[in-house]
């Protein structure tokens, strides 16, 4: 073993932050000050912990003061203080805040017009660091003098200064107004020129180009038209650059263009190349590898064609392979999970492949990752995968190993994670096997009920949604347990929630509760019928048709029950005294919402079902309110003719993915017509009997 | 690069002709080579690129005077070489300060390189028998980096293991004390500085020679021709028929 040396030298103590900071007082001699500055700078560069301890000791304002009071000829002091300030602003939010709070900004800007290149470099680098942080102030492009200044930066001979200009754009350009202003000021042309510059300029320029054109078709078409298409061509060429980061940034630019103006990303060859490139870049270490999966997710989001293409070039296998690796950093893992989520969001073939690769286990294990972003991404990924109806209905997802960590996540925070977990749970608990009790037993039900009382409406919405799915086609014993945990009074207040989307889910929950025979229906009549009364109140007063639809289905299900149940529905839907008041049934039959008309007709069908002794009396009452004649008039309603509907809907088809919704509309219309006929037939039975 | 293209087109040509090996005599070969034109300026740029990337400042300066070839600011090469040399000599702290003077962004935005430099500093402390200082340094400076990154932690553990052995030269982690470790760290810093200056981190000449060898290997399957076996002399050797 090497011989041991003496204890820490005096020099080691002299280098302690507490000690050094006393030398930063501005009355110190220039030499000492400079030496101390350098020492502090060298200690903090690359070292987060040191930065934080210096920030806590209040070093930043002291250094800013040195910069502010330094004379223009104190080159070393200017350079060293600016560099130290820049390092404080690099990678540590508290540092950026301290730098901004101590008013460093104008002093750093002042350095940009210094005659010495090294001073300009130092100032520009530090400002660049500040603008790379989210905390940096937004730059107002609408002020003329600001735009002039920005252009002077972009046109500078100094590389660091041009990069600063590009960073300002990347950081601050958000609205379409800002994008337009930058475009009109001619920044696009200058940035495209910088693509020919050095590596650093090229990357800074690609970054800010993406910011200027993002989601803005007008600016995109300007960009594409620049120099008769040469700008777009240069970016496309950069996909083949030797530097991985340049290749990534060029792809991101093309992705941004393709998402907003798909016409420029039609070429199947280019699309394939883009996907292949991103997959290849996954292997890159560091920032590139971390950011690639996010770019890939962005490219294929909401685009089935691209998802299919990505699947065909084995993207899913490659992404899943990464999950098997050890020591994968949080950022990249988050991106990988999100990319897999996008791939599996629509295509069943992807979900099948995902499951056959045994990747579900790996994703499940990331549900307990240290980093909240990774846990959220894992939830989103599982949400996509659990859309597989085949596997869902077989109960493949409702296992202890999967449900337990999901339920743990419901404790939160953050809310975004809780919401993601709720959405996944909503999928998982829809199944037709009797395994729902697994979820209830591991404490999931308790958590859902707890969240349904949350102050946050998104949490209420998603927890009620999950409860609704848990209630779906489950056995009566489970229904009892759910209701016992939830209580009639909580359910009532959810039905009357201030948010219509919560009301809708609460009513859908009740609809599932009362679906399944007399025993199930009885549940809404407990405690003096608070639940059924609340449903009635909502149906009579709600303005959103989504809420009324679910309410009408509740009544439709209840009216499959006993004579008492049917009468209760009549009581809720027809005004007691016939003082000329219109029934809600009438109102809904005349409304323009197809789904609401269907739900209402269903209800009338069940109320007038001939097997019940009181049906004849109910038909009479419905007739008194003009409801039967309204139904009759609907038979001849031309807009209900299936053929007409089909022709009408076919006209509006532009896109293959519309087919599903087209079919749904057609089926709705056919069902509606069919139901109308059933009602009339049933009514005829009674008229005949009466006659 | 045009030389390479000729190779490829010849390759295709030969492939089309027949499956049996074609023999190309030295005469034919030299005639074909004479048809390839390479610009003098391109050659000069390649040489300059090599000198600058490898850090031969004086040679680069002389070459500039003689050939008039442009290059990046020579002062930056001097600075870069000083950093490299400092690491090679074990003066890591000095090297870090020099890099930070050159461009503070390099180590602030490159955690892996920063860690490797700090690790090298630790290795030097251990080499010089400063055990307590080494432990303190590992704890203060390196342990927090290990918390941020799992792979750093493993490397740190390997390095600290040096302290546990009587005979460091014959221990499982002994190679860390080897001079090659310094060279590895030095070339990592060198590459990072070059990248920060938007300069490629490898000279182009070696990859050109690699392509030459690759192309010869490809051609070997199709034809017998005068081959360059010794790159340093570039003598064409007669085909073995």
């Amino acid at each position: 073993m090497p011989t041991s040396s003496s204890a820490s030298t005096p020099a080691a103590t002299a280098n302690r932050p507490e000690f050094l900071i006393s030398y930063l007082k501005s009355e110190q001699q220039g030499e000492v000050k400079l030496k101390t500055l350098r020492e502090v700078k060298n200690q903090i560069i690359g070292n987060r912990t040191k930065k934080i301890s210096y920030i806590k000791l209040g070093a930043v304002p002291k250094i800013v003061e040195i910069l502010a009071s330094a004379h223009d000829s104190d080159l070393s002091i200017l350079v060293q203080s600016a560099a130290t300030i820049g390092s404080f602003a690099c990678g540590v939010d508290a540092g950026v805040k301290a730098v901004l709070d101590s008013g460093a900004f104008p002093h750093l800007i002042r350095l940009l017009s210094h005659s010495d290149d090294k001073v300009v470099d130092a100032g520009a680098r530090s400002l660049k660091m500040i603008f790379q942080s989210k905390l940096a102030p937004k730059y107002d492009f609408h002020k003329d003098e600001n735009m002039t200044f920005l252009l002077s930066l972009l046109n500078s001979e100094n590389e660091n200064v041009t990069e600063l200009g590009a960073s300002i754009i990347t950081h601050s350009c958000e609205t379409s107004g800002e994008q337009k202003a930058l475009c009109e000021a001619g920044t696009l042309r200058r940035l495209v020129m910088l693509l020919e510059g050095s590596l650093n300029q090229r990357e800074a320029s690609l970054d800010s180009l993406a910011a200027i054109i993002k989601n803005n078709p007008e600016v995109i078409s300007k960009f594409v038209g620049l120099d008769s298409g040469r700008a777009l061509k240069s970016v496309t060429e950069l996909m083949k650059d030797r530097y991985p980061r340049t290749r990534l940034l060029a792809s991101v630019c093309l992705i941004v263009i393709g998402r907003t103006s798909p016409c420029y990303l039609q070429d199947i060859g280019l699309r394939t190349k883009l996907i292949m490139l991103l997959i290849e870049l996954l292997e890159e270490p560091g920032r590139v590898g971390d950011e690639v999966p996010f770019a890939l997710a962005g490219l294929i989001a909401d685009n089935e064609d691209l998802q299919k293409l990505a699947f065909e070039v084995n993207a899913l296998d490659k992404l899943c392979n990464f999950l098997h690796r050890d020591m994968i950093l949080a950022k990249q893992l988050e991106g990988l999970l999100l990319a897999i989520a996008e791939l599996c969001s629509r295509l069943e073939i992807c979900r099948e492949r995902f499951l056959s690769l045994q990747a579900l286990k790996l994703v499940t294990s990331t549900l307990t990752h240290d980093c909240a972003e990774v846990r959220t991404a894992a939830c989103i990924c599982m949400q996509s995968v659990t859309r597989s109806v085949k596997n869902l209905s077989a109960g493949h997802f409702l296992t202890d190993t999967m449900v337990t960590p999901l339920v743990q996540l419901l404790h939160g925070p953050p809310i975004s994670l809780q919401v993601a977990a709720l959405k996944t749970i909503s999928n998982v608990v829809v199944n037709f096997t009797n395994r729902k009790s697994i979820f209830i037993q591991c404490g999931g039900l308790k958590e859902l009920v707890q969240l349904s009382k949350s102050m946050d409406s998104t949490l209420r919405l998603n927890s009620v949604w999950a409860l609704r799915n848990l209630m779906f086609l489950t056995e009566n014993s489970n229904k009892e347990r759910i209701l016992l945990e939830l209580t009639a009074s909580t359910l009532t207040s959810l039905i009357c929630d201030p948010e219509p989307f919560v009301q809708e889910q609460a009513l859908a929950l009740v609809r599932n509760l009362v679906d399944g025979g007399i025993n199930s229906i009885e549940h809404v009549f407990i405690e003096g019928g608070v639940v059924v009364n609340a449903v009635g109140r909502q149906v009579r007063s709600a303005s959103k048709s989504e809420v009324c639809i679910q309410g009408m289905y509740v009544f439709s299900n209840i009216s499959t029950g006993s004579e008492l149940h049917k009468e209760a529905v009549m009581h809720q839907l027809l005004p007691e005294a016939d003082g000329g008041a219109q029934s809600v049934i009438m109102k809904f039959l005349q409304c323009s919402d197809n789904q609401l008309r269907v739900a209402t007709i269903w209800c009338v069908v069940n109320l007038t079902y001939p097997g019940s002794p009181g049906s004849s009396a109910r038909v009479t009452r419905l007739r008194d309110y003009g409801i039967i004649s309204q139904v009759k008039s609907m038979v001849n309603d031309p807009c209900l003719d299936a053929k007409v509907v089909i022709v009408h809907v076919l006209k509006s088809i532009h896109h293959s993915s519309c087919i599903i919704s087209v079919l749904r509309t057609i089926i709705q219309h056919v069902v509606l017509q069919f139901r109308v006929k059933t009602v009339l037939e049933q009514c005829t039975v009674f008229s005949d009997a009466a006659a | 690069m045009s030389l390479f293209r000729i190779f490829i087109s010849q390759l295709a040509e030969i492939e089309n002709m027949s499956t049996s090996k074609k023999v190309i005599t030295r005469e034919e070969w030299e005639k074909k080579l004479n048809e390839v034109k390479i610009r003098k300026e391109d050659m000069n740029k390649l040489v300059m690129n090599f000198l600058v990337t490898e850090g031969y400042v004086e040679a680069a300066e002389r070459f500039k005077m003689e050939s008039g070839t442009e290059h990046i600011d020579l002062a930056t090469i001097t600075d870069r070489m000083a950093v490299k040399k400092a690491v090679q000599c074990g003066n890591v702290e000095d090297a870090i300060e020099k890099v930070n003077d050159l461009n503070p962004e390099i180590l602030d935005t490159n955690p892996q390189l920063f860690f490797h430099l700090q690790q090298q500093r630790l290795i030097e402390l251990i080499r010089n028998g400063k055990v307590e200082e080494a432990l303190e340094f590992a704890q203060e400076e390196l342990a927090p980096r290990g918390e941020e990154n799992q792979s750093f932690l493993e490397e740190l553990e390997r390095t600290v293991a040096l302290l546990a052995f009587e005979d460091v030269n014959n221990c499982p982690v002994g190679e860390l004390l080897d001079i090659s470790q310094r060279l590895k760290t030095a070339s990592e810093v060198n590459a990072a500085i070059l990248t920060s200056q938007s300069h490629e981190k490898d000279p182009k000449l070696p990859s050109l020679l690699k392509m030459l060898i690759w192309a010869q290997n490809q051609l070997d399957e199709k034809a017998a021709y005068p081959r360059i076996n010794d790159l340093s002399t570039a003598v064409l050797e007669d085909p073995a028929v």
Side-chain angles (χ1 to χ4, degrees), chain B residues 46-63 71-85 88 186-187 190-191 193-194 197 199-204:
Chain B
L46 272 175
V47 173
M48 183 55 101
N49 169 277
F50 179 78
L51 294 177
V52 167
T53 313
E54 292 292 307
Y56 300 110
V57 192
E58 283 167 35
E61 221 155 320
R62 294 288 291 275
F63 189 68
H71 58 69
I72 58 168
D73 184 9
L74 281 179
T76 63
I77 312 178
T78 322
D79 293 337
R80 179 161 54 88
M81 285 306 112
V83 174
K84 202 172 162 183
K85 204 168 161 203
Q88 282 167 350
S187 86
N190 186 49
I193 298 175
L194 280 169
Q197 293 166 345
H199 198 287
E200 281 171 35
K201 57 179 195 278
D202 298 309
K204 292 179 198 295

Coordinates of all heavy atoms in Angstrom, one line a residue, chain B residues 46-63 71-85 88 186-187 190-191 193-194 197 199-204:
Chain B
L46 N -4.7 18.1 -46.9 CA -4.7 16.8 -46.2 C -3.5 16.8 -45.2 O -3.6 16.4 -44.0 CB -4.5 15.6 -47.1 CG -5.8 15.0 -47.7 CD1 -5.5 13.9 -48.7 CD2 -6.6 14.4 -46.5
V47 N -2.4 17.3 -45.7 CA -1.2 17.3 -44.8 C -1.4 18.3 -43.7 O -1.1 18.0 -42.5 CB 0.1 17.7 -45.6 CG1 1.3 17.9 -44.7 CG2 0.4 16.6 -46.7
M48 N -1.9 19.4 -44.0 CA -2.2 20.5 -43.0 C -3.2 20.0 -42.0 O -3.0 20.1 -40.8 CB -2.7 21.8 -43.7 CG -2.9 22.9 -42.7 SD -1.3 23.3 -41.8 CE -0.7 24.7 -42.6
N49 N -4.2 19.3 -42.5 CA -5.2 18.8 -41.6 C -4.6 17.8 -40.6 O -4.8 17.8 -39.4 CB -6.3 18.0 -42.4 CG -7.2 17.2 -41.5 OD1 -6.9 16.1 -41.2 ND2 -8.4 17.8 -41.2
F50 N -3.6 17.0 -41.1 CA -2.9 16.0 -40.2 C -2.1 16.7 -39.2 O -2.1 16.4 -38.0 CB -2.1 15.1 -41.1 CG -1.3 14.1 -40.3 CD1 -1.9 13.0 -39.8 CD2 0.0 14.3 -40.0 CE1 -1.2 12.0 -39.0 CE2 0.7 13.3 -39.2 CZ 0.1 12.2 -38.7
L51 N -1.3 17.7 -39.6 CA -0.4 18.4 -38.7 C -1.2 19.2 -37.6 O -0.8 19.1 -36.4 CB 0.5 19.4 -39.5 CG 1.4 18.8 -40.5 CD1 2.2 19.9 -41.2 CD2 2.5 17.9 -39.8
V52 N -2.3 19.8 -38.0 CA -3.1 20.6 -37.1 C -3.7 19.7 -36.1 O -3.7 19.9 -34.8 CB -4.1 21.5 -37.8 CG1 -5.1 22.0 -36.8 CG2 -3.4 22.6 -38.5
T53 N -4.4 18.6 -36.6 CA -5.1 17.7 -35.7 C -4.2 17.0 -34.7 O -4.5 16.9 -33.5 CB -5.9 16.7 -36.5 OG1 -6.6 17.4 -37.5 CG2 -6.9 16.0 -35.6
E54 N -3.0 16.7 -35.2 CA -2.1 16.0 -34.3 C -1.3 16.9 -33.4 O -0.6 16.5 -32.6 CB -1.2 15.1 -35.1 CG -1.8 13.9 -35.8 CD -2.3 12.9 -34.8 OE1 -1.5 12.4 -34.0 OE2 -3.5 12.5 -34.9
G55 N -1.4 18.2 -33.8 CA -0.8 19.2 -32.9 C 0.6 19.5 -33.2 O 1.4 20.0 -32.3
Y56 N 1.1 19.3 -34.4 CA 2.5 19.7 -34.7 C 2.5 21.2 -35.1 O 2.5 21.5 -36.3 CB 3.0 18.8 -35.8 CG 3.0 17.3 -35.5 CD1 2.2 16.5 -36.1 CD2 3.9 16.9 -34.5 CE1 2.2 15.1 -35.7 CE2 3.9 15.5 -34.2 CZ 3.1 14.7 -34.8 OH 3.1 13.3 -34.4
V57 N 2.6 22.0 -34.1 CA 2.5 23.5 -34.4 C 3.6 24.0 -35.3 O 3.3 24.7 -36.3 CB 2.6 24.3 -33.0 CG1 2.1 25.7 -33.3 CG2 1.7 23.6 -32.0
E58 N 4.8 23.7 -34.9 CA 5.9 24.3 -35.7 C 5.9 23.8 -37.1 O 6.0 24.6 -38.1 CB 7.3 23.9 -35.0 CG 7.5 24.8 -33.8 CD 8.7 24.3 -33.0 OE1 9.6 23.7 -33.6 OE2 8.6 24.4 -31.8
A59 N 5.7 22.5 -37.2 CA 5.6 21.9 -38.6 C 4.5 22.6 -39.4 O 4.7 22.9 -40.6 CB 5.4 20.4 -38.5
A60 N 3.4 22.8 -38.7 CA 2.2 23.4 -39.4 C 2.6 24.8 -39.9 O 2.2 25.2 -41.0 CB 1.0 23.4 -38.5
E61 N 3.3 25.5 -39.0 CA 3.7 26.9 -39.3 C 4.6 26.9 -40.6 O 4.4 27.7 -41.5 CB 4.4 27.5 -38.1 CG 4.0 28.9 -37.9 CD 4.2 29.3 -36.4 OE1 3.9 28.5 -35.5 OE2 4.6 30.4 -36.2
R62 N 5.6 26.0 -40.5 CA 6.6 26.0 -41.6 C 5.8 25.6 -42.9 O 6.1 26.1 -44.0 CB 7.7 24.9 -41.3 CG 8.6 25.3 -40.2 CD 9.5 26.5 -40.6 NE 10.5 26.1 -41.6 CZ 11.6 25.5 -41.3 NH1 12.0 25.3 -40.0 NH2 12.5 25.2 -42.2
F63 N 4.9 24.6 -42.8 CA 4.2 24.1 -43.9 C 3.3 25.2 -44.5 O 3.2 25.3 -45.7 CB 3.4 22.9 -43.5 CG 2.7 22.2 -44.7 CD1 3.5 21.5 -45.6 CD2 1.4 22.2 -44.9 CE1 3.0 20.8 -46.7 CE2 0.8 21.6 -46.0 CZ 1.6 20.9 -46.9
H71 N -5.1 27.4 -42.4 CA -5.4 26.5 -41.3 C -6.1 27.3 -40.2 O -6.1 28.6 -40.2 CB -4.2 25.8 -40.8 CG -3.1 26.8 -40.3 ND1 -3.3 27.6 -39.2 CD2 -1.9 27.1 -40.8 CE1 -2.2 28.3 -39.0 NE2 -1.4 28.1 -40.0
I72 N -6.5 26.6 -39.1 CA -7.1 27.4 -38.0 C -6.1 28.0 -37.2 O -4.9 27.8 -37.3 CB -8.0 26.4 -37.1 CG1 -7.2 25.3 -36.5 CG2 -9.2 26.0 -37.8 CD1 -7.9 24.5 -35.4
D73 N -6.5 28.9 -36.3 CA -5.6 29.7 -35.5 C -4.6 28.8 -34.8 O -4.9 27.9 -34.0 CB -6.5 30.4 -34.4 CG -5.7 31.4 -33.6 OD1 -4.5 31.6 -33.9 OD2 -6.2 31.9 -32.6
L74 N -3.3 29.1 -35.1 CA -2.3 28.2 -34.5 C -2.2 28.3 -33.0 O -1.8 27.3 -32.4 CB -0.9 28.5 -35.2 CG -0.7 28.0 -36.6 CD1 0.7 28.4 -37.1 CD2 -0.8 26.5 -36.6
A75 N -2.6 29.5 -32.5 CA -2.5 29.6 -31.0 C -3.4 28.6 -30.3 O -3.0 28.0 -29.3 CB -3.0 31.0 -30.6
T76 N -4.5 28.2 -31.0 CA -5.4 27.2 -30.3 C -4.7 25.9 -30.3 O -5.0 25.1 -29.4 CB -6.7 27.2 -31.0 OG1 -6.5 26.7 -32.4 CG2 -7.5 28.5 -31.1
I77 N -3.9 25.6 -31.3 CA -3.2 24.3 -31.3 C -2.2 24.3 -30.1 O -2.1 23.3 -29.4 CB -2.4 24.1 -32.6 CG1 -3.2 24.3 -33.8 CG2 -1.9 22.6 -32.6 CD1 -2.4 24.2 -35.1
T78 N -1.5 25.4 -30.0 CA -0.5 25.5 -28.9 C -1.2 25.2 -27.5 O -0.7 24.4 -26.7 CB 0.2 26.8 -28.8 OG1 0.4 27.3 -30.2 CG2 1.5 26.8 -28.1
D79 N -2.3 25.9 -27.3 CA -3.1 25.7 -26.1 C -3.5 24.2 -25.9 O -3.4 23.7 -24.8 CB -4.3 26.6 -26.1 CG -3.9 28.1 -26.0 OD1 -2.8 28.4 -25.6 OD2 -4.8 28.9 -26.5
R80 N -4.0 23.7 -27.0 CA -4.5 22.3 -26.9 C -3.4 21.3 -26.6 O -3.5 20.4 -25.8 CB -5.1 21.9 -28.3 CG -5.7 20.5 -28.4 CD -6.7 20.5 -29.5 NE -6.1 20.9 -30.8 CZ -5.4 20.1 -31.6 NH1 -5.3 18.9 -31.4 NH2 -5.0 20.6 -32.8
M81 N -2.2 21.6 -27.2 CA -1.1 20.7 -27.0 C -0.6 20.8 -25.5 O -0.2 19.8 -24.9 CB 0.1 21.0 -27.9 CG -0.2 20.5 -29.3 SD -0.6 18.7 -29.3 CE -2.3 18.8 -29.8
A82 N -0.7 22.1 -25.0 CA -0.3 22.3 -23.6 C -1.2 21.4 -22.7 O -0.7 20.8 -21.7 CB -0.3 23.7 -23.3
V83 N -2.5 21.4 -23.0 CA -3.4 20.6 -22.1 C -3.0 19.2 -22.2 O -2.9 18.5 -21.2 CB -4.8 20.9 -22.6 CG1 -5.8 20.0 -21.8 CG2 -5.2 22.3 -22.4
K84 N -2.9 18.7 -23.4 CA -2.6 17.3 -23.7 C -1.3 16.9 -22.9 O -1.3 15.9 -22.3 CB -2.4 17.1 -25.2 CG -2.6 15.7 -25.6 CD -2.6 15.6 -27.2 CE -2.4 14.2 -27.6 NZ -2.3 14.1 -29.1
K85 N -0.3 17.8 -23.0 CA 1.0 17.4 -22.4 C 0.9 17.4 -20.9 O 1.4 16.5 -20.3 CB 2.0 18.5 -22.8 CG 3.4 18.0 -22.8 CD 4.4 19.0 -23.5 CE 5.8 18.7 -23.0 NZ 6.7 19.8 -23.1
Q88 N -0.6 14.2 -19.9 CA 0.4 13.1 -20.2 C 1.5 13.1 -19.1 O 2.0 12.0 -18.8 CB 1.1 13.3 -21.5 CG 0.2 12.8 -22.6 CD 0.6 13.2 -24.0 OE1 1.5 14.0 -24.2 NE2 0.0 12.6 -25.0
A186 N -5.7 11.9 -22.0 CA -5.2 13.0 -22.8 C -5.9 13.1 -24.1 O -6.2 14.1 -24.6 CB -3.7 12.9 -22.9
S187 N -6.1 11.9 -24.8 CA -6.6 12.0 -26.1 C -8.1 12.3 -26.0 O -8.7 12.9 -26.9 CB -6.4 10.7 -26.9 OG -7.4 9.8 -26.6
N190 N -8.2 16.0 -25.7 CA -7.8 16.6 -27.0 C -9.0 16.6 -28.0 O -9.3 17.6 -28.6 CB -6.6 15.7 -27.6 CG -6.1 16.3 -28.9 OD1 -5.7 17.5 -28.9 ND2 -6.0 15.4 -29.9
A191 N -9.7 15.4 -28.0 CA -10.8 15.3 -28.9 C -11.9 16.3 -28.5 O -12.5 17.0 -29.4 CB -11.4 13.9 -28.9
I193 N -11.6 19.2 -27.0 CA -11.2 20.6 -27.4 C -11.4 20.8 -28.9 O -11.9 21.8 -29.3 CB -9.7 20.9 -27.0 CG1 -9.6 20.8 -25.5 CG2 -9.3 22.3 -27.5 CD1 -8.1 20.9 -25.0
L194 N -11.0 19.8 -29.7 CA -11.1 19.9 -31.1 C -12.6 20.1 -31.5 O -12.9 20.9 -32.3 CB -10.5 18.7 -31.8 CG -9.0 18.7 -32.0 CD1 -8.5 17.3 -32.4 CD2 -8.6 19.7 -33.0
Q197 N -13.9 23.4 -31.0 CA -13.5 24.4 -32.0 C -14.0 24.1 -33.3 O -13.5 24.5 -34.3 CB -11.9 24.4 -32.0 CG -11.3 24.9 -30.7 CD -9.8 24.6 -30.7 OE1 -9.3 23.7 -31.4 NE2 -9.1 25.2 -29.7
H199 N -13.7 21.5 -34.9 CA -12.7 20.9 -35.7 C -12.9 19.4 -35.6 O -13.2 18.9 -34.5 CB -11.3 21.3 -35.2 CG -10.2 21.0 -36.2 ND1 -9.8 19.8 -36.5 CD2 -9.5 21.9 -37.0 CE1 -8.8 19.9 -37.4 NE2 -8.6 21.1 -37.7
E200 N -12.7 18.6 -36.6 CA -12.8 17.2 -36.5 C -11.8 16.6 -35.6 O -10.6 17.1 -35.6 CB -12.8 16.5 -37.9 CG -14.1 16.7 -38.6 CD -14.0 16.2 -40.0 OE1 -13.3 15.3 -40.3 OE2 -14.7 16.9 -40.8
K201 N -12.1 15.6 -34.8 CA -11.2 15.1 -33.8 C -10.2 14.1 -34.4 O -9.2 13.8 -33.7 CB -12.0 14.6 -32.6 CG -12.9 13.4 -32.8 CD -13.6 13.1 -31.5 CE -14.3 11.7 -31.6 NZ -15.6 11.8 -32.1
D202 N -10.4 13.6 -35.5 CA -9.5 12.7 -36.1 C -8.9 13.3 -37.4 O -9.7 13.8 -38.2 CB -10.1 11.3 -36.4 CG -10.6 10.7 -35.2 OD1 -9.8 10.6 -34.2 OD2 -11.7 10.3 -35.1
P203 N -7.6 13.1 -37.7 CA -7.1 13.6 -39.0 C -7.7 12.7 -40.1 O -8.1 11.6 -39.9 CB -5.6 13.4 -38.9 CG -5.4 12.4 -37.8 CD -6.6 12.6 -36.9
K204 N -7.8 13.3 -41.4 CA -8.4 12.6 -42.5 C -7.5 11.5 -43.1 O -7.9 10.6 -43.7 CB -8.8 13.5 -43.5 CG -10.0 14.4 -43.1 CD -10.4 15.4 -44.2 CE -11.1 16.6 -43.7 NZ -12.4 16.2 -43.1

